[in-house]
Amino acid sequence: MKERVLSGMQPSGYLHLGNFAGALKNWVRLQDIYDCFYCVVDWHALTSNYANPSPIADYKHDMLINFIAAGLDPNKCTIFLQSAVKQHAELHLLLSMITPLGWLERVPTYKEKQTEIKDKDLNTYGFLGYPVLQAADILIYKARHVPVGVDQIPHLELTREIARRFEFLYGKGILTEPEPLLTESPKVVGLDGRKMSKSYDNAIYLSDTPEQIDKKIRQMMTDPARKRKTDKGDPELSPVYALHKIFSSPDEIAHVAAACKTAEIGCIDCKRILIKNISKELEPLWSKREELTGSPSMLKDILNAGNRRAAAEAEKTMELIREAMNLS
Ligand code: ADP
C-alpha cells in the first residue's frame, strides 16, 4: 500500500513556468512513489477573487490541461476538482467549529497578504478561514504527506493542530496528522527578476506560443551595467542567467557565465541559448496540450473519474466524522 499524498493548486491565473518547474514537475515524480491526490482548489481561488469569479472557469481548464500535458497520469494519480467534492465544504464547516480564532489570526500569510494585496478587500470571513478549508482538503483524504517548501511549514502545522484538537475532543483515531514532504524546488524568477508570479505580470505562461516566449525573453533585462556588447557583464545580476541555472545544461551555464564576464558573447546570444532550452523543455508539453485541446471529452472523462474516486474516499472519512460528532 502506497502512502497517500495530497496537494492542490489554486486556479487564480494561467499556469506559468514557475508553477511547472517549482511544483508540477515534482508532482509528476511523486505519482510513481505515492498514492497522490491532486486537486484544483477552485474554492480557494474564490477566497481572494470572490469579486471577479468569471475568469476562474478558464483558469481551471488551463490548469487541468497543463496537469495532464506535464505528465500527470490519471492511471497513477487522482486528479479532481475541489468544488465537485462537496464533502470538503462539510468538513470545513465542522472543523471551523473547533478552530480557535487566535490560531487563524496568527497564520503568517494572513496579515502578510492583507497588507500586500491592495486591490482586493481580504477582510472577510472566508479569507480568514482559508487555512481551515486547506486542513479539510488534507484531512478528508487522511493524507500522510503534503509536499511543501520550508516557508509553508507553518500552514501545515495548523492542519496538524486542528487534527490533534479533533482527536482530543472526539478521540476516535479518525484523522491522520499529515507530515510535510520537504521538497527542494527551484525558485523561478520572472521577466523582471522578481519571483515569477501571475500577480506580477512577469510570467512566461505554459500557454504562451513559442513566438511569445521568444519575444518575452528577448525583452528581458540583463545586467543593467552592461550597455554595449563589448562591456563585461556580471551574470549574477541578470535574471536571464538565473533562468539558465534552471533550464540549461551545466556546460551551457558555465559557458554563458564565463562568456558574459569576458564580453565574449552578447546578451542576445545568451538569450538565444535560453530560448532554445526553455522551448526544448516545453515542447512535449506543447504537443500534448494540442492533443488535449482537440479532445475536450477526454479531459472531462479524466476529471469525472477523478471526482468520483475523490468523493468516494472523502465520503468514507465523513461517515466516521459525522458519527464521532453525533451527526449520523
Ligand atoms: P503564483 O505565485 O503565480 O500565484 P501559486 O502561489 O498559485 O503561484 O503557486 C502554485 C505552486 O507553484 C506552488 O507550489 C508554488 O510554490 C509554485 N510556484 C509558484 N511560483 C513559483 C516560482 N516562481 N518558482 C517556483 N515555484 C513557484
Side-chain angles (χ1 to χ4, degrees), residues 9-10 12 16 18-19 21-23 152 185-189 195-199:
M9 237 189 258
Q10 276 193 59
S12 50
H16 53 70
N19 303 133
Q152 294 157 346
S185 64
K187 280 274 163 291
V188 181
V189 300
K195 181 188 164 202
M196 186 177 288
S197 167
K198 55 191 169 260
S199 325

Side-chain angles (χ1 to χ4, degrees), residues 30 59 101 158 204 215 231 244 276 311:
L30 293 177
Y59 300 152
L101 269 181
L158 185 74
I204 294 174
K215 190 168 167 212
D231 294 336
H244 268 297
K276 174 195 72 154

Side-chain angles (χ1 to χ4, degrees), residues 80-99:
F80 68 105
L81 181 67
Q82 183 189 35
S83 67
V85 184
K86 308 295 181 207
Q87 287 87 346
H88 287 233
E90 185 183 359
L91 186 55
H92 174 225
L93 174 85
L94 296 180
L95 296 180
S96 75
M97 306 295 173
I98 67 167
T99 307

Side-chain angles (χ1 to χ4, degrees), residues 10 12 19 22 32 42 54 66 85 91 121 124 141 148 172 189 195 218 224 278 316:
Q10 276 193 59
S12 50
N19 303 133
D32 289 319
D42 53 343
S54 56
N66 283 317
V85 184
L91 186 55
D121 181 1
T124 59
Y141 298 104
V148 289
K172 297 278 198 309
V189 300
K195 181 188 164 202
R218 277 171 194 276
I278 289 182
K316 271 198 249 168

Side-chain angles (χ1 to χ4, degrees), residues 106-108 149-159 161:
R106 271 202 306 272
V107 172
V150 200
D151 48 329
Q152 294 157 346
I153 289 183
H155 257 175
L156 194 63
E157 193 47 44
L158 185 74
T159 297
E161 272 174 321

